[in-house]
Amino acid sequence: IVERKVHIVYLGEKQHDDPEFVTESHHQMLWSLLGSKEDAHESLVYSYRHGFSGFAAKLTKSQAKKIADVPEVVHVIPDSFYKLK
Amino acid sequence: TTRTWDYLGLSAANPKNLLNETNMGAQSIIGVIDTGVWPESEVFNDHGIGPVPSHWKGGCESGEAFNSSHCNKKLIGAKYFINGFLSENESFNSTESLDFISPRDLDGHGTHVSTIAGGSYVPNISYKGLAEGTVRGGASRARIAMYKVCWYLDDEDITSCSSADILKAMDEAMHDGVDVLSISLGSDVPMYGETDIRDGITTGAFHAVLKGITVVCAGGNSGPEAQTVTNTAPWIVTVAATTLDRSFATPITLGNNKVILGQAMYTGPEVGFTSLVYPENPGNSNANFSGTCEELSVNSNLTMVGKVVLCFTPSPYSASASSAARSVKKAGGLGVIIARQPGYAIRPCPDDFPCVAVDWELGTDILLYIRSSGLPVVKIKTSRTLIGQPVGTKVATFSSRGPNSIAAAILKPDIAAPGVSILAATTTNTTFNDQGFIMMSGTSMATPAISGVVALLKALHRDWSPAAIRSAIVTTAWRTDPFGEQIFAEGSPRKLADPFDYGGGLVNPEKAAKPGLVYDLGLEDYVLYMCSAGYNESSISQLVGKATICSNPKLSILDFNLPSITIPNLKDEVTLTRTLTNVGPLDSVYRVVVEPPLGFQVTVEPKTLVFNSQTKRVSFKVRISTTHKINTGYYFGSLTWSDSVHNVTIHVSVRTQILQNYYDEN
């Protein structure tokens, strides 16, 4: 079993004003990576669609590397944790 | 907050101040990303607060022990984000966890910081009689929207916040219409990633700032070591923590009648004259003795029972005091005096056990008394609140320091605000709360103080960009305390504070309202920054949503229009540019006053800036050269533009690197 971790896939400024459309584009991107609509739906943690475009998804290391190479992707970072200060 | 705002000059009694001119920020919405909110707290009362601002599109989400009806005209937003946390903590049992799966606060931190930024007036509050006064936020009529992203992990007894959740909260906040985002969270140093944009808060903040939302973040609690400041992106307002002019003096009377004023939050009864001991081997015993606070448990009970114990620790942290108090109490002791480095984290000890901190100098006085007296005794009185002079302002030991470890030319922190022993609301089940109010310390507490000020400035100047607001705060900050006394930076040894301790200085809200000129920044400037920081053009184009070509040669990062000049690697000489925008009277003439850092020549051209109805923005050049022949540390100076009404001051920090990229240890 290959471990899946939450990764943030950052796509920069959103290309559409309609948030539904933005989220749909995130599903599509994950669908093409993972091969099935169900897997894409299950993997998606968040769709960032108001202030900018991006999503958080549970991905293996190799999936994260693969999606980082997609031209629309600015960067992919593993989820990290912050503390109260 | 019973002292913060009067100390910073924002007294409600003055009818013509920023507070009253802005109706206490009634039209501003402060988004707080934190541990949630305790909605029953009186600080969220909406007495006298008008309708919700029309730009608000958010709402309140129901969940465990939280209904949307808990919201009102003060607390206008409450949402929670847990999916990132759950995905990374599969052992988390949301049914059994102590935390509330809702916007409700378990920790108390979110409620506390919300109070500081925008809590309503609640009179006659204290911590068991200490710090008594009226609790209130900086913008006490501003609206609060809580975005809960931090969750208590029962297994590990920690509270943790996933960047995936934080980003979602920021995304929602941008949609909801907040004016300020207050984020008292941070990562550890060294910072994640090779470049600053690859960080959750930084990424979200970039887009928020482009939408006109000021993002205020904690600089971190890893001081006093250099290069520990976090949240250092140039579009974020990064906050350091100072003390107030308030302390909790606790009289310690020795048997020789000498009275020493220690610091504590001791609210129990007076400890009458009692035997005083410093655990050390009298020279004729085989038993173990230790006078080190963390090692008091090695002493036999007989050494400490029925006595007040003196111990020493090199640590400034409150954990040493807690550990000492625990050991002495367990052994049947009656109190403990901890000689330590000032850490500015005075806390009550459990069960109101008398535990008083003194510095090493006073600790040594007590030790000499013990050694010279046949029967040393001591009396400890209840702590009392001391306000105003002679209590000076210090940058707290814990407050993270610059330089910025990612981009040394970007001065961080930006600004300082009180963040030590701040009394504000919490949950009613938090340890050490008194009727729902608690003292907390950290850059967490300084951050919402700045957010509150930003909310007021935003109410006064709705069209100002986040960079303009930041500039107004930084260029008008106090370099002294509000009474004109120097601010010291705590550490070992204590020293005069410099820009790496407190950025521009201590926030001066009244002056920030009318800065005269501002160092503004827009999208083009951020693009130039990213070009100079080495981002490739396609990434920048995607980030900003339009085609971008970096100039060739790239502009220097030194030209980024910050309200500070920091040159980390001067070899011969350098010339940089700044641009000022007039936000004061249309027809203004400003003249420059330079205080060059020692051993540097600073030349400004032109020396006079003339603004009128046609000329709102004017650039000037600064040439800096040095006579130093070695790799130096940082020297500090300043550059002020003055029209005799406004003084627009920035710090100039310069270090020579005659030998570049050289690790200076010999």
Side-chain angles (χ1 to χ4, degrees):
Chain A
I1 298 169
V2 184
E3 195 184 16
R4 294 188 312 160
K5 304 281 273 178
V6 176
H7 288 77
I8 294 163
V9 180
Y10 175 56
L11 305 169
E13 192 58 62
K14 57 193 169 64
Q15 303 296 317
H16 304 280
D17 285 334
D18 182 352
E20 296 300 331
F21 199 94
V22 178
T23 299
E24 185 49 35
S25 71
H26 299 157
H27 277 286
Q28 293 284 348
M29 192 178 278
L30 265 177
W31 185 355
S32 3
L33 174 79
L34 303 176
S36 90
K37 198 173 179 179
E38 290 70 31
D39 285 351
H41 188 262
E42 192 275 331
S43 162
L44 188 72
V45 178
Y46 287 120
S47 166
Y48 307 119
R49 59 191 198 158
H50 298 296
F52 55 95
S53 178
F55 56 89
K58 287 179 272 184
L59 301 172
T60 65
K61 261 188 184 172
S62 67
Q63 287 166 344
K65 197 168 171 349
K66 206 168 166 188
I67 205 163
D69 293 335
V70 173
E72 295 98 300
V73 173
V74 178
H75 65 241
V76 178
I77 54 169
D79 193 14
S80 57
F81 283 84
Y82 288 81
K83 291 178 185 163
L84 307 174
K85 292 294 174 185
Chain B
T1 63
T2 48
R3 178 64 185 157
T4 301
W5 305 107
D6 291 316
Y7 168 72
L8 294 178
L10 276 183
S11 171
N14 182 349
K16 291 195 82 176
N17 67 2
L18 175 62
L19 207 54
N20 290 309
E21 278 176 36
T22 61
N23 191 17
M24 302 180 191
Q27 287 304 306
S28 292
I29 302 166
I30 305 170
V32 181
I33 298 184
D34 213 282
T35 60
V37 69
W38 193 258
E40 291 83 4
S41 175
E42 194 52 27
V43 297
F44 299 115
N45 81 66
D46 61 357
H47 306 328
I49 298 181
V52 172
S54 56
H55 63 283
W56 178 241
K57 292 186 199 146
C60 290
E61 196 177 1
S62 295
E64 184 183 353
F66 194 98
N67 296 321
S68 56
S69 60
H70 279 116
C71 287
N72 59 15
K73 286 184 281 184
K74 159 60 72 178
L75 180 64
I76 63 171
K79 295 181 178 178
Y80 65 100
F81 304 90
I82 195 170
N83 294 352
F85 174 85
L86 286 179
S87 300
E88 297 282 21
N89 293 287
E90 285 171 358
S91 65
F92 181 82
N93 185 332
S94 56
T95 314
E96 289 181 7
S97 171
L98 287 174
D99 210 335
F100 303 97
I101 312 302
S102 76
R104 181 173 289 276
D105 191 2
L106 173 74
D107 183 278
H109 188 274
T111 304
H112 201 269
V113 296
S114 302
T115 311
I116 298 168
S120 295
Y121 279 58
V122 187
N124 303 320
I125 297 300
S126 72
Y127 174 74
K128 297 184 179 178
L130 295 174
E132 192 171 10
T134 297
V135 161
R136 61 178 166 122
S140 51
R141 285 194 186 142
R143 320 308 167 112
I144 292 167
M146 171 56 68
Y147 299 86
K148 178 173 175 178
V149 297
C150 299
W151 301 91
Y152 179 67
L153 198 51
D154 305 65
D155 292 351
E156 298 176 37
D157 189 25
I158 56 165
T159 299
S160 171
C161 332
S162 144
S163 59
D165 293 333
I166 295 170
L167 262 183
K168 187 60 187 169
M170 295 176 91
D171 187 42
E172 289 279 319
M174 283 182 244
H175 166 265
D176 292 347
V178 304
D179 298 300
V180 191
L181 266 175
S182 193
I183 307 179
S184 292
L185 315 173
S187 50
D188 289 329
V189 283
M191 281 180 275
Y192 174 79
E194 67 274 31
T195 48
D196 52 322
I197 190 84
R198 291 171 190 256
D199 164 279
I201 291 177
T202 305
T203 306
F206 178 73
H207 292 279
V209 165
L210 290 187
K211 287 167 180 58
I213 301 165
T214 298
V215 181
V216 187
C217 292
N221 300 338
S222 303
E225 284 74 27
Q227 296 184 313
T228 48
V229 63
T230 59
N231 291 319
T232 58
W235 40 86
I236 287 174
V237 181
T238 311
V239 186
T242 69
T243 62
L244 287 162
D245 61 339
R246 180 175 73 184
S247 75
F248 303 105
T250 309
I252 300 167
T253 309
L254 304 178
N256 59 6
N257 283 328
K258 180 169 181 169
V259 180
I260 287 168
L261 287 179
Q263 293 293 330
M265 288 183 190
Y266 175 57
T267 55
E270 175 178 312
V271 179
F273 276 112
T274 304
S275 289
L276 174 64
V277 66
Y278 174 68
E280 59 183 341
N281 195 327
N284 56 1
S285 170
N286 290 326
N288 285 326
F289 292 91
S290 175
T292 302
C293 298
E294 294 83 351
E295 295 169 6
L296 289 180
S297 59
V298 306
N299 299 295
S300 69
N301 288 356
L302 204 60
T303 306
M304 301 193 284
V305 67
K307 295 173 186 163
V308 171
V309 178
L310 169 71
C311 67
F312 285 78
T313 174
S315 165
Y317 301 111
S318 59
S320 302
S322 308
S323 153
R326 234 184 350 259
S327 302
V328 175
K329 194 176 176 211
K330 196 174 167 196
L334 298 181
V336 61
I337 299 170
I338 299 119
R340 70 178 194 188
Q341 303 290 341
Y344 299 96
I346 299 282
R347 285 183 190 166
C349 280
D351 305 322
D352 237 337
F353 189 75
C355 58
V356 189
V358 294
D359 61 22
W360 274 61
E361 192 177 331
L362 293 169
T364 305
D365 285 351
I366 298 171
L367 179 59
L368 293 179
Y369 160 69
I370 293 172
R371 285 176 174 165
S372 63
S373 167
L375 194 63
V377 289
V378 68
K379 181 167 77 175
I380 299 175
K381 286 191 176 174
T382 307
S383 303
R384 58 178 196 238
T385 310
L386 205 59
I387 287 178
Q389 293 173 325
V391 182
T393 299
K394 276 84 69 175
V395 176
T397 310
F398 60 76
S399 186
S400 290
R401 308 298 210 263
N404 176 346
S405 61
I406 285 180
I410 308 292
L411 177 66
K412 292 286 170 177
D414 291 292
I415 191 72
V420 174
S421 299
I422 304 298
L423 183 63
T426 182
T427 68
T428 49
N429 52 17
T430 311
T431 314
F432 297 130
N433 91 86
D434 181 9
Q435 296 177 62
F437 292 86
I438 194 170
M439 303 261 204
M440 286 191 188
S441 297
T443 49
S444 271
M445 284 69 234
T447 300
I450 296 297
S451 303
V453 173
V454 170
L456 296 177
L457 295 177
K458 194 86 185 175
L460 196 64
H461 307 290
R462 281 226 76 92
D463 57 330
W464 282 13
S465 71
I469 288 177
R470 191 246 307 260
S471 174
I473 287 174
V474 170
T475 61
T476 59
W478 277 298
R479 274 77 178 168
T480 62
D481 74 4
F483 311 104
E485 295 281 357
Q486 294 281 359
I487 296 176
F488 279 79
E490 205 51 80
S492 194
R494 184 179 279 179
K495 65 174 183 66
L496 281 175
D498 64 46
F500 296 134
D501 301 311
Y502 62 12
L506 177 66
V507 65
N508 182 344
E510 282 298 331
K511 287 279 183 192
K514 296 179 178 74
L517 307 173
V518 293
Y519 293 85
D520 206 355
L521 289 162
L523 176 61
E524 296 73 24
D525 302 287
Y526 295 123
V527 167
L528 289 177
Y529 167 78
M530 282 185 271
C531 288
S532 66
Y535 293 92
N536 66 46
E537 288 170 350
S538 68
S539 286
I540 299 172
S541 303
Q542 210 133 2
L543 213 100
V544 302
K546 60 182 187 186
T548 301
I549 297 170
C550 292
S551 62
N552 192 8
K554 285 173 185 160
L555 280 183
S556 163
I557 198 167
L558 298 178
D559 289 320
F560 191 56
N561 202 36
L562 285 175
S564 57
I565 294 173
T566 310
I567 303 171
N569 53 2
L570 185 70
K571 194 171 181 186
D572 301 312
E573 70 168 54
V574 70
T575 300
L576 54 92
T577 305
R578 287 287 182 276
T579 302
L580 277 163
T581 305
N582 185 16
V583 293
L586 275 185
D587 295 304
S588 303
V589 178
Y590 283 82
R591 289 182 177 81
V592 73
V593 180
V594 177
E595 283 180 21
L598 189 69
F600 295 86
Q601 293 76 49
V602 179
T603 316
V604 179
E605 280 302 330
K607 290 182 171 45
T608 302
L609 303 182
V610 180
F611 297 90
N612 53 42
S613 56
Q614 271 78 49
T615 311
K616 289 260 309 177
R617 284 164 59 87
V618 180
S619 295
F620 62 94
K621 289 199 179 297
V622 184
R623 189 166 67 87
I624 302 178
S625 59
T626 182
T627 52
H628 290 294
K629 304 286 183 225
I630 60 163
N631 282 24
T632 66
Y634 278 95
Y635 286 88
F636 304 101
S638 66
L639 189 161
T640 301
W641 289 99
S642 179
D643 67 349
S644 74
V645 176
H646 307 94
N647 290 316
V648 188
T649 302
I650 60 174
H651 285 294
V652 179
S653 316
V654 194
R655 179 179 71 176
T656 61
Q657 285 209 319
I658 309 300
L659 202 55
Q660 304 255 325
N661 298 316
Y662 169 69
Y663 171 52
D664 201 357
E665 179 175 311
N666 46 349

